[in-house]
Amino acid sequence: MDGTSVIKSVVKAANQYGSNASQDNLMFLLSQLDTLIGITSQGKSLKFFCPKEMLVTECLSYLLEFLNEPSTPPELTSKTMVLLFNLGADSEISHALQVTYNLPATLAACLQFYSKEQSPKQPEYLMLQCLQLLQKITYNYRISYPNNYGEDLIRFLIQQILGLESELQLPSLGLLANLCRNNISMQAHIKALDNIKAIYKKLIQCLSHSSQTVVVFSLSLLSSLCLYEEIGEKLFNAKNINQTFQLIFNILVKSDGIITRRYAVDLVIDVIKSPHIKQSLIIYEHFPVCLQQILKLLTTLEADAVSKIFELLLAFSSVNELRPAICRSLMMTPNLEALDSSIEPARLASTEPYFAAINWAMQDVQLHEHAPLKALEFLTDVYEELLDSSMTHVSPHLDIIIPIATGQLLCPVETDGVVLRARCRKLSKVLQLCLVLCGEEGVRSEIVRLLDTSVCLSILEHQLNHNRIGLNLYKPNNDDTDWSEPGAEVVLLMMDLFLKLEAYSLQQPLQQLLQDQRLMPFLAHSLTCKNRSRVQTALRVITHASSLQQFPTIILGECIASCNNHKAEEIETLKRPLNSPDPTFSLSRNNKLNDSSIQGLIDKMKTGMDLRDVRASEIMDVYEHKLTSLATKESHLQDLLEAKALALAQADRLIAQYRCRRAQSEAEARKLRCVLKESEKRSEEYREQLQQVMSDREHLSSKLQKASSENQRLITIAEAHDKLVVTHADTSKRLTCVESTLATQTAEYQSLKENHNLLTKHTDELQHKYNITVETLEKQQEELTTRLKETEGQLANVSTQLKQKIEQLEKEKEELDTALDGLRSQLEKSEKTIKELGQKTSTLESDCRKLKKEVREKDNQVKLQRAELDKHSQLTQMIHSLTGGK
């Protein structure tokens, strides 16, 4: 369904209901609003709803009129809020609702009306819808304070937060967080409240809530109100900050709602502005793990959530100490290190954060406005750190990023100003990435190889021929369709890129561009702008071009002077009073004179044409053709006149609305006058009380002087008393220490004395046993010596006998050699006797060995007994020495 036709139907239905508030007209209006709500629901394009069109302006005026009217039926109010909630998803519409239509003030008045209304005609869900819409509209929008609704709104929100838990508490927390963020005047008002301690206590209690959204809202409020105060230092101290980091990172990773994640990102961005929290984040030991989990979100989330994640990563990369960790987490994943260069990045965008970032950077800005720009900015920061630092162990994957970066340099062909502005901004980010990549000397040749010079030149030609700055049109244009500023940045960055790649076959096109007169307005505009980097880049380009002979220095100087004159004129127009003559009046007068002269010329031609002229018919044909063209123009002007008449009718309606609102404001002014009179009366009473207080003050000042002198005397006495108390405490502590040491020494002495008595008894017993054992050992030794002597004597006898027998046998052998056969029997007998004697000698030898072993064992026992005796003697000496020392 066509969006424009739906808007027309809504405006028609609203007009009918405004002229006749019947039930049929109400039902028709509700059905048309349902249709418009359906085509503006979440995820659908809102480009057809341009707030600068007259039809959309009229539609929004009717919607706000429904909210301002107290007698509007609840179902119509609810549908209106739902429609405005859907429209608030678009940044342009949201900005128009905030600035042009002042929707926050209208919603605050509705909220105040619903809170005071006791009638059941106003359901409670309208308050919830109003709070949710107000929270969405005020996100990232700073409301100037003080104003005529802020105090009542804050009072209502704090009442809901401090009250019992209800469905209104969550949007109240979120709305108050929006109001306090980056708004010092609002923060000062809340800090000056009497119940600020109760507010802090309630917010700290909310940190343990089961809802992650409540926790994030509470932390955001606490960081806005007390981050740099004493309570904030206690809340975000070194002990608690690690738990806070872990809590926020868990919410970022595990949260399912985009609102919770959005506020969590804003919270991290706000708190790391504090130096001590930034330092705590740098030394946070779990930061690499949390960073990997956050980078993993790039592969799964939608465009709006990814845009916030990139915003968080850019905040991290703004801290120089965190950049190496970001580069490692992004570039050193296991799958990325083992990557085949032939794989397309889009295939791995769902698993690898690096390819997800590249994929988001390649997206079209018509589909996703913010995510591609932030992705390109994040990649620029990453490669700036990789190429400028000494992170040689991290692979930058230049074979992937260079073709993608050069492939994104495309010449815009659209005519829509909004799309052209977005594409120029993306081109600027791509050129910044290419400039960072050119910082590496070996990369420049690869960029020149892949860079399409003809495309770059076509981009420059498009800007030089169509950009408003290049055409010297300095009329101020703050419209979103104005793409001149981003286009000028594209021209400047492209020239800077050509300068860095000049040595790689780009010298000739660069010289032609630098000598082109159309480039001078861009250089002059960059030199006179507020951006430092653009000024430095322009100076770098001019310094390089000044060496060329045909460089148009004079034209550059004239362009710079023209820029300065333009800025001076803007300042003069701001200083010009309201009653000064408008310079456009003279132009309109000249146009009227020209129109009258043209009309006179036409009359003369009509009356003075002579048909007898030979070329009369040809001239008539020419002028007939001109008259037909003028007729077509007249019909076109008639259409424009009808459109203007419609616009005037709508302006009359808006004037009527303005008069109604002016009457309301006058009524409020009357109330304020009454309040002012009452305040003046109170001020007079306060003046009288103040005079009485001043007289009392003079009377009390004399008493205060006497009391101060007495107080000084008492202070000196108190100081002396404090010193005595301190000395007394020290002496008492020393006395208790001495008593305790004395008690321990006496106890040790008694224990040592008892041990000494036991040891003396034990040594006496051991001495007695030692004497007995020595006597027994001496007796055993004497017996063993006697036995040994006997055995030695027996062995000597046996050996002598054996020698004698051997001699006899030898003699017998010599005698009986001749009769050997006869004496074999005797020989066998002698051999038997010899064997028996050998057995006896072996037994005697074994007995001798056993006796020697027993003697050795006895000697060892004697030595052991002597060693024990020496130990006991040493113990006795030690005991005697200990007892003698005491």
Side-chain angles (χ1 to χ4, degrees):
M1 185 177 291
D2 187 15
T4 306
S5 61
V6 175
I7 298 172
K8 286 181 180 178
S9 302
V10 170
V11 171
K12 181 180 178 181
N15 195 6
Q16 291 178 0
Y17 179 76
S19 59
N20 183 14
S22 62
Q23 188 66 25
D24 294 336
N25 290 336
L26 176 61
M27 297 304 295
F28 179 66
L29 176 59
L30 291 176
S31 65
Q32 297 301 321
L33 285 175
D34 285 332
T35 305
L36 188 55
I37 289 170
I39 65 174
T40 58
S41 58
Q42 186 176 7
K44 296 186 178 179
S45 177
L46 297 176
K47 291 185 177 180
F48 69 92
F49 203 92
C50 181
K52 294 171 183 175
E53 295 180 357
M54 189 61 67
L55 189 63
V56 175
T57 302
E58 190 172 1
C59 179
L60 290 176
S61 300
Y62 276 122
L63 294 178
L64 266 72
E65 186 177 352
F66 295 152
L67 293 179
N68 283 321
E69 185 62 36
S71 61
T72 304
E75 55 270 21
L76 180 56
T77 305
S78 177
K79 297 286 185 185
T80 302
M81 289 186 182
V82 172
L83 178 57
L84 290 173
F85 190 86
N86 291 344
L87 295 175
D90 186 78
S91 59
E92 185 180 359
I93 302 173
S94 178
H95 181 73
L97 291 173
Q98 293 162 356
V99 178
T100 307
Y101 297 95
N102 198 13
L103 182 60
T106 303
L107 294 175
C110 294
L111 198 61
Q112 186 177 4
F113 174 73
Y114 297 150
S115 62
K116 293 180 180 179
E117 183 68 29
Q118 301 296 329
S119 174
K121 292 182 180 180
Q122 303 294 343
E124 291 185 359
Y125 68 85
L126 288 179
M127 294 178 64
L128 179 61
Q129 285 184 333
C130 186
L131 279 172
Q132 290 174 346
L133 178 58
L134 195 55
Q135 179 189 352
K136 187 166 188 176
I137 291 298
T138 56
Y139 179 73
N140 276 345
Y141 174 64
R142 185 181 180 277
I143 294 177
S144 59
Y145 185 81
N147 49 38
N148 56 354
Y149 64 88
E151 189 173 353
D152 295 332
L153 179 60
I154 291 172
R155 188 184 303 111
F156 173 78
L157 295 177
I158 291 175
Q159 182 181 358
Q160 295 298 324
I161 292 170
L162 295 179
L164 298 176
E165 187 172 355
S166 64
E167 59 183 2
L168 301 179
Q169 192 177 52
L170 180 63
S172 298
L173 277 169
L175 177 55
L176 192 60
N178 291 344
L179 296 177
C180 291
R181 187 170 184 243
N182 299 327
N183 197 330
I184 298 174
S185 58
M186 195 74 74
Q187 295 171 11
H189 174 74
I190 295 175
K191 291 176 187 178
L193 295 176
D194 296 334
N195 57 348
I196 185 62
K197 292 184 179 179
I199 296 171
Y200 285 156
K201 186 176 180 181
K202 182 66 176 179
L203 292 176
I204 292 172
Q205 289 176 358
C206 289
L207 296 180
S208 59
H209 200 275
S210 58
S211 174
Q212 293 180 344
T213 310
V214 173
V215 174
V216 171
F217 287 168
S218 303
L219 273 174
S220 179
L221 263 173
L222 287 170
S223 65
S224 297
L225 293 174
C226 60
L227 181 59
Y228 298 100
E229 296 184 358
E230 184 178 357
I231 186 172
E233 292 177 356
K234 292 180 181 179
L235 187 62
F236 298 101
N237 59 8
K239 295 181 180 178
N240 299 331
I241 193 63
N242 289 338
Q243 297 178 359
T244 306
F245 284 149
Q246 192 62 45
L247 175 65
I248 296 173
F249 287 136
N250 288 337
I251 292 172
L252 281 171
V253 174
K254 299 178 182 178
S255 177
D256 296 330
I258 186 174
I259 295 176
T260 308
R261 186 175 283 115
R262 182 184 298 164
Y263 279 84
V265 170
D266 293 337
L267 174 62
V268 176
I269 293 172
D270 290 340
V271 297
I272 63 174
K273 293 177 183 177
S274 174
H276 76 275
I277 295 180
K278 183 190 294 184
Q279 188 62 33
S280 300
L281 181 62
I282 292 170
I283 62 176
Y284 181 51
E285 58 181 353
H286 301 296
F287 178 73
V289 179
C290 297
L291 184 60
Q292 289 177 357
Q293 294 174 350
I294 291 171
L295 288 170
K296 200 69 177 177
L297 295 175
L298 298 176
T299 62
T300 56
L301 296 180
E302 297 295 330
D304 293 337
V306 165
S307 178
K308 294 302 291 184
I309 296 299
F310 276 124
E311 190 175 341
L312 176 64
L313 293 172
L314 288 172
F316 286 155
S317 64
S318 65
V319 182
N320 294 328
E321 291 82 356
L322 297 180
R323 279 193 172 193
I326 295 172
C327 295
R328 286 192 294 269
S329 300
L330 184 68
M331 310 296 288
M332 292 184 66
T333 57
N335 295 331
L336 192 59
E337 290 180 348
L339 179 68
D340 186 6
S341 60
S342 62
I343 298 177
E344 295 182 0
R347 294 175 58 186
L348 296 176
S350 60
T351 57
E352 284 298 319
Y354 174 70
F355 289 106
I358 291 177
N359 186 37
W360 283 110
M362 295 168 61
Q363 295 297 316
D364 190 0
V365 287
Q366 276 189 284
L367 300 176
H368 311 292
E369 183 179 358
H370 301 290
L373 303 180
K374 293 179 180 178
L376 285 168
E377 191 173 351
F378 173 64
L379 288 172
T380 303
D381 289 347
V382 169
Y383 276 97
E384 184 178 2
E385 179 67 22
L386 285 174
L387 298 177
D388 292 346
S389 64
S390 58
M391 298 180 67
T392 56
H393 60 285
V394 180
S395 175
H397 296 285
L398 295 173
D399 55 339
I400 298 173
I401 191 65
I402 292 175
I404 292 172
T406 54
Q408 293 297 309
L409 294 173
L410 301 173
C411 182
V413 294
E414 294 82 4
T415 57
D416 186 8
V418 178
V419 180
L420 271 175
R421 180 183 177 88
R423 293 203 181 281
C424 288
R425 290 175 62 189
K426 184 177 180 181
L427 276 174
S428 299
K429 300 297 181 183
V430 174
L431 287 170
Q432 287 174 3
L433 178 59
C434 292
L435 287 170
V436 169
L437 294 174
C438 287
E440 190 75 16
E441 188 67 29
V443 181
R444 296 179 184 176
S445 58
E446 184 67 18
I447 292 177
V448 171
R449 188 180 67 83
L450 296 173
L451 188 66
D452 193 349
T453 310
S454 61
V455 174
C456 296
L457 293 175
S458 64
I459 293 172
L460 288 173
E461 282 293 327
H462 179 270
Q463 295 294 332
L464 295 176
N465 293 328
H466 300 91
N467 196 302
R468 187 173 58 87
I469 294 173
L471 300 174
N472 292 323
L473 299 176
Y474 291 107
K475 183 180 178 181
N477 189 2
N478 297 323
D479 194 358
D480 292 336
T481 60
D482 181 22
W483 50 274
S484 56
E485 284 290 338
E489 188 174 4
V490 169
V491 172
L492 195 65
L493 293 174
M494 187 71 77
M495 295 304 299
D496 195 14
L497 180 64
F498 276 21
L499 282 180
K500 289 193 175 182
L501 301 177
E502 181 185 8
Y504 301 90
S505 70
L506 289 179
Q507 187 174 4
Q508 184 177 358
L510 178 61
Q511 290 182 358
Q512 292 177 358
L513 287 170
L514 291 175
Q515 294 172 0
D516 195 342
Q517 297 180 2
R518 297 174 297 172
L519 183 65
M520 298 306 109
F522 294 94
L523 295 177
H525 181 75
S526 300
L527 278 176
T528 56
C529 73
K530 298 179 181 179
N531 194 339
R532 294 181 180 178
S533 61
R534 290 179 64 180
V535 174
Q536 293 171 1
T537 306
L539 286 173
R540 193 160 51 248
V541 173
I542 292 171
T543 303
H544 183 83
S546 60
S547 60
L548 300 175
Q549 294 181 356
Q550 298 181 359
F551 179 68
T553 309
I554 298 174
I555 298 176
L556 177 62
E558 291 177 354
C559 292
I560 294 173
S562 178
C563 289
N564 293 330
N565 290 331
H566 170 62
K567 291 187 176 181
E569 288 175 2
E570 287 183 350
I571 296 171
E572 288 296 327
T573 53
L574 292 174
K575 294 180 179 180
R576 183 181 299 159
L578 295 175
N579 56 1
S580 62
D582 192 356
T584 59
F585 178 74
S586 60
L587 295 176
S588 62
R589 186 175 180 181
N590 293 331
N591 291 332
K592 290 180 181 179
L593 293 173
N594 293 331
D595 293 338
S596 61
S597 62
I598 292 170
Q599 187 65 34
L601 183 60
I602 292 171
D603 294 336
K604 288 180 181 179
M605 289 171 62
K606 287 180 179 179
T607 57
M609 182 65 66
D610 190 2
L611 296 177
R612 289 176 295 178
D613 196 351
V614 178
R615 300 179 59 188
S617 60
E618 295 179 0
I619 294 172
M620 288 292 291
D621 293 335
V622 171
Y623 279 98
E624 281 178 1
H625 179 69
K626 289 185 178 180
L627 288 172
T628 54
S629 64
L630 288 173
T632 56
K633 289 182 180 179
E634 184 180 2
S635 64
H636 180 64
L637 289 173
Q638 186 67 31
D639 295 335
L640 291 176
L641 184 61
E642 291 176 359
K644 290 289 184 181
L646 180 61
L648 285 173
Q650 293 173 352
D652 292 336
R653 190 179 295 109
L654 291 174
I655 289 169
Q657 293 176 3
Y658 168 72
R659 288 172 181 171
C660 181
R661 292 180 184 176
R662 184 177 179 180
Q664 293 176 359
S665 63
E666 287 177 355
E668 291 179 357
R670 292 190 197 98
K671 292 180 182 178
L672 290 174
R673 289 191 194 98
C674 296
V675 172
L676 182 60
K677 289 179 181 179
E678 292 179 359
S679 63
E680 287 177 353
K681 290 180 182 179
R682 290 178 183 175
S683 63
E684 290 177 358
E685 293 176 358
Y686 290 154
R687 286 193 193 96
E688 294 176 357
Q689 293 177 3
L690 182 62
Q691 290 176 357
Q692 184 66 28
V693 168
M694 290 297 290
S695 62
D696 294 337
R697 180 182 177 184
E698 291 175 356
H699 178 67
L700 291 173
S701 61
S702 60
K703 292 183 179 180
L704 184 62
Q705 290 177 356
K706 294 179 181 178
S708 62
S709 61
E710 185 67 21
N711 191 18
Q712 290 294 331
R713 189 177 63 83
L714 291 174
I715 286 169
T716 54
I717 295 170
E719 289 176 354
H721 180 265
D722 292 337
K723 291 179 181 179
L724 291 173
V725 167
V726 171
T727 54
H728 180 266
D730 293 335
T731 52
S732 61
K733 286 180 181 178
R734 290 176 184 174
L735 181 61
T736 53
C737 292
V738 170
E739 288 177 352
S740 61
T741 52
L742 181 60
T744 53
Q745 291 293 332
T746 52
E748 288 178 359
Y749 175 72
Q750 292 295 333
S751 62
L752 288 173
K753 190 174 181 181
E754 292 175 358
N755 291 330
H756 176 261
N757 294 329
L758 292 173
L759 288 172
T760 51
K761 291 179 181 179
H762 188 61
T763 50
D764 293 337
E765 292 176 357
L766 291 174
Q767 185 69 31
H768 181 66
K769 288 180 181 179
Y770 174 73
N771 294 329
I772 293 170
T773 52
V774 167
E775 289 176 357
T776 54
L777 288 172
E778 287 177 354
K779 290 178 181 179
Q780 289 177 2
Q781 187 176 5
E782 289 176 357
E783 290 177 357
L784 289 172
T785 52
T786 53
R787 283 184 184 179
L788 185 60
K789 288 178 180 179
E790 290 176 358
T791 52
E792 286 178 355
Q794 290 177 1
L795 287 171
N797 293 328
V798 171
S799 61
T800 52
Q801 289 177 4
L802 286 172
K803 288 179 180 179
Q804 291 175 0
K805 286 182 180 180
I806 288 168
E807 289 176 356
Q808 289 177 3
L809 287 172
E810 286 179 354
K811 289 179 181 179
E812 289 175 359
K813 186 178 180 182
E814 291 177 356
E815 290 176 357
L816 296 176
D817 283 335
T818 57
L820 183 60
D821 294 331
L823 297 175
R824 284 181 184 253
S825 60
Q826 293 180 0
L827 182 60
E828 290 176 357
K829 290 180 182 179
S830 63
E831 287 178 356
K832 288 179 181 180
T833 54
I834 290 167
K835 288 179 181 179
E836 290 175 357
L837 291 172
Q839 289 176 358
K840 288 180 181 181
T841 53
S842 62
T843 53
L844 290 172
E845 287 177 355
S846 62
D847 291 335
C848 288
R849 292 191 193 96
K850 288 179 181 179
L851 289 173
K852 288 180 180 178
K853 287 181 180 178
E854 289 178 357
V855 170
R856 291 191 193 96
E857 289 176 356
K858 295 296 181 179
D859 291 334
N860 292 328
Q861 289 179 359
V862 171
K863 290 178 180 179
L864 291 172
Q865 292 294 331
R866 287 178 179 174
E868 288 181 359
L869 184 61
D870 293 332
K871 290 180 180 178
H872 286 300
S873 64
Q874 290 176 0
L875 287 171
T876 54
Q877 289 176 2
M878 288 173 65
I879 291 166
H880 283 297
S881 65
L882 289 171
T883 54
K886 293 192 177 176

